[in-house]
Amino acid sequence: MEQPKQQPTVAYSRAMKDLAAEEMPREKALKHGFEVLTVPELMAILIGSGSRGENVIDLCKRILGDCDGRLSTLARLTVPDLVNNYRGVGDAKALIILAALELSRRYHSENFEELPQVTSSKAAFNCLPAKLGDLPHEEFWILTLNRAKRVTGKYRISQGGTAATVVDVKMVMKKAIEHLADGIIAVHNHPSGSTYPSGQDDELTYRLREGGKLLGIEVVDHIVVAGKNYYSYVDNCR
């Protein structure tokens, strides 16, 4: 009886376990950022593992090589194409690869609007959450700004009662640092209906400005909101 032919043994590069820690895709990304990774290494992070005899990076190189190195060609493959042609790729891994490519398509199809720029207290007021002036309790927010004074985020720091909310300057600055803000605009509301700042508001503004100076974060303004009206520390030279 004729013996079945043995499949030729294919030599692949080192197993993942033999790679130095700094060569592992996840470790490289954590240390240096995604931009230093090759496309096969990015794919390897997604699917996690290869198969016996072929590590995940080599598997991803082979898949990409069969697509002439083009992600646009890879994106046209189907789940059965990947599962049937590549050992170690099941439905779950195939779906992960194709889902990542679909996310990339959708990202590039988005219409990116320019971030609003704060050129006045009115411009800042227009960036605030619409409900803030009508809340029955006090809330403290910050707008984070980049160097061009464009709003990069809106964050609630604290929520209190009808007369006050506790604001920790350290938490305000922590949030600003986390989002790499060059400046912030402090904002809180007065459920009483009066926009005029209290003595506590003045003290908080001072502490925020002093804390910002130490960290290189400009406190551009402090705005007090009540209904559709507002008070700006900058407009009133305070």
Side-chain angles (χ1 to χ4, degrees), residues 63-95:
I63 294 172
L64 197 63
D66 290 345
C67 296
D68 298 322
R70 297 178 64 84
L71 290 174
S72 57
T73 302
L74 176 58
R76 289 196 290 270
L77 299 184
T78 64
V79 170
D81 288 334
L82 291 167
V83 172
N84 295 334
N85 290 300
Y86 301 99
R87 183 182 176 188
V89 177
D91 288 348
K93 290 180 180 178
L95 285 167

Side-chain angles (χ1 to χ4, degrees), residues 72-161:
S72 57
T73 302
L74 176 58
R76 289 196 290 270
L77 299 184
T78 64
V79 170
D81 288 334
L82 291 167
V83 172
N84 295 334
N85 290 300
Y86 301 99
R87 183 182 176 188
V89 177
D91 288 348
K93 290 180 180 178
L95 285 167
I96 288 171
I97 292 170
L98 298 180
L101 291 165
E102 178 61 24
L103 279 173
S104 177
R105 279 196 204 97
R106 297 188 187 190
Y107 171 80
H108 286 289
S109 68
E110 286 183 355
N111 293 319
F112 291 97
E113 296 181 1
E114 193 170 41
L115 298 172
Q117 187 173 34
V118 175
T119 55
S120 65
S121 62
K122 182 64 174 178
F125 178 74
N126 290 336
C127 291
L128 302 181
K131 65 177 182 179
L132 187 59
D134 299 321
L135 293 176
H137 58 270
E138 277 203 18
E139 291 188 356
F140 183 90
W141 289 64
I142 61 169
L143 304 181
T144 54
L145 309 174
N146 63 19
R147 194 172 298 277
K149 289 188 170 53
R150 293 192 181 276
V151 178
T152 58
K154 309 172 189 182
Y155 306 100
R156 185 174 65 184
I157 304 299
S158 66
Q159 177 178 319

Side-chain angles (χ1 to χ4, degrees), residues 11-238:
Y12 293 107
S13 64
R14 293 173 293 170
M16 291 293 285
K17 66 181 180 180
D18 296 326
L19 294 175
E22 62 270 17
E23 296 179 77
M24 295 285 194
R26 288 187 179 89
E27 283 69 18
K28 284 177 69 175
L30 286 170
K31 188 174 182 179
H32 303 292
F34 285 117
E35 60 273 13
V36 305
L37 269 61
T38 64
V39 173
E41 287 173 333
L42 290 168
M43 290 173 60
I45 288 178
L46 290 173
I47 65 176
S49 63
S51 63
R52 187 174 180 179
E54 183 177 33
N55 70 46
V56 65
I57 294 178
D58 288 330
L59 171 60
C60 293
K61 285 180 178 178
R62 186 158 63 90
I63 294 172
L64 197 63
D66 290 345
C67 296
D68 298 322
R70 297 178 64 84
L71 290 174
S72 57
T73 302
L74 176 58
R76 289 196 290 270
L77 299 184
T78 64
V79 170
D81 288 334
L82 291 167
V83 172
N84 295 334
N85 290 300
Y86 301 99
R87 183 182 176 188
V89 177
D91 288 348
K93 290 180 180 178
L95 285 167
I96 288 171
I97 292 170
L98 298 180
L101 291 165
E102 178 61 24
L103 279 173
S104 177
R105 279 196 204 97
R106 297 188 187 190
Y107 171 80
H108 286 289
S109 68
E110 286 183 355
N111 293 319
F112 291 97
E113 296 181 1
E114 193 170 41
L115 298 172
Q117 187 173 34
V118 175
T119 55
S120 65
S121 62
K122 182 64 174 178
F125 178 74
N126 290 336
C127 291
L128 302 181
K131 65 177 182 179
L132 187 59
D134 299 321
L135 293 176
H137 58 270
E138 277 203 18
E139 291 188 356
F140 183 90
W141 289 64
I142 61 169
L143 304 181
T144 54
L145 309 174
N146 63 19
R147 194 172 298 277
K149 289 188 170 53
R150 293 192 181 276
V151 178
T152 58
K154 309 172 189 182
Y155 306 100
R156 185 174 65 184
I157 304 299
S158 66
Q159 177 178 319
T162 58
T165 182
V166 176
V167 181
D168 187 333
V169 173
K170 295 189 295 293
M171 296 306 295
V172 174
M173 294 303 162
K174 178 175 180 291
K175 181 66 71 174
I177 291 169
E178 285 174 353
H179 294 278
L180 303 177
D182 290 296
I184 64 170
I185 294 177
V187 184
H188 78 280
N189 65 309
H190 278 179
S192 66
S194 170
T195 59
Y196 198 77
S198 66
Q200 290 84 355
D201 295 338
D202 292 343
E203 181 184 353
L204 173 61
T205 304
Y206 173 79
R207 290 192 290 117
L208 286 170
R209 286 171 174 166
E210 292 302 302
K213 287 177 184 177
L214 292 174
L215 298 168
I217 298 171
E218 181 185 2
V219 178
V220 175
D221 201 351
H222 186 176
I223 293 176
V224 183
V225 180
K228 303 300 181 185
N229 301 312
Y230 70 92
Y231 178 99
S232 161
Y233 270 73
V234 168
D235 289 352
N236 287 276
C237 302
R238 296 183 63 179

